[in-house]
Amino acid sequence: MIRPARLDELDALTDLMHRSKAHWGYDEDFMKAARAVLVLTPRDIESDELRVFDNNGPQGLCKLVVRENRADLDKLFVDPEAMGQGVGRALVSWAIDQARAQGATQMQIEADPDAVPFYERMGARVIGGVPSEAIVGRTLPLMQIDLSGLAPDACGSI
């Protein structure tokens, strides 16, 4: 089930993001820098943009920000123990549906390089790069999903 995040689980969800990022084998210096920027705050809850995939506890989260015709998948993290079980796909599908319902025609994603193949399976393509918030000199792939060209439930069959 995908539900709104709750204030009482901010620390647990922040920890989930850290475990998810560490899954890719980054060294401790990288993780220290990443942990400094991967922090959820009460504002994330108040904005009503943060959602949790919950199956007997949080297994993943995403933050979707929609402004006019563009959506940003600002966060997508899956607990390493739940990877490969459809959690990420469910969250991206939910984000696509919500973005389209709010009038967005495109969704952008600043992706971890290791997540590019996953996002490509979800219909995204690399359109450029953006500087990392955490690591000076690191560039992250900027990806985009054309929402206007997707059939309803396009990710459901992936």
Side-chain angles (χ1 to χ4, degrees):
M1 156 176 86
I2 296 174
R3 61 164 174 80
R6 298 186 315 258
L7 193 57
D8 67 332
E9 62 189 358
L10 279 181
D11 290 341
L13 294 175
T14 294
D15 184 58
L16 184 153
M17 290 191 311
H18 298 168
R19 289 192 320 274
S20 179
K21 181 61 82 175
H23 169 79
W24 301 109
Y26 293 115
D27 65 32
E28 186 52 38
D29 288 339
F30 180 98
M31 286 306 302
K32 183 177 179 182
R35 283 190 290 269
V37 297
L38 293 177
V39 177
L40 296 172
T41 68
R43 185 175 175 165
D44 291 306
I45 302 296
E46 294 161 5
S47 70
D48 199 36
E49 298 166 338
L50 187 64
R51 291 295 185 273
V52 173
F53 184 99
D54 191 330
N55 184 15
N56 295 319
Q59 292 185 327
L61 64 90
C62 72
K63 182 177 179 183
L64 178 70
V65 179
V66 180
R67 290 188 180 83
E68 297 180 18
N69 68 337
R70 189 176 112 193
D72 290 302
L73 188 58
D74 187 54
K75 291 181 180 18
L76 179 72
F77 292 92
V78 175
D79 190 306
E81 293 182 10
M83 288 182 180
Q85 298 177 21
V87 174
R89 179 179 335 149
L91 288 165
V92 171
S93 295
W94 174 87
I96 287 171
D97 290 345
Q98 292 300 308
R100 291 176 77 185
Q102 294 179 48
T105 58
Q106 61 179 308
M107 182 163 59
Q108 291 193 347
I109 307 156
E110 294 179 14
D112 185 284
D114 291 306
V116 167
F118 165 77
Y119 287 121
E120 288 175 335
R121 289 191 303 274
M122 298 293 101
R125 63 184 176 84
V126 176
I127 60 168
V130 293
S132 168
E133 287 180 58
I135 308 295
V136 175
R138 182 175 192 236
T139 300
L140 300 174
L142 178 62
M143 303 188 77
Q144 183 174 301
I145 298 175
D146 178 5
L147 301 177
S148 62
L150 287 180
D153 196 29
C155 292
S157 60
I158 296 173

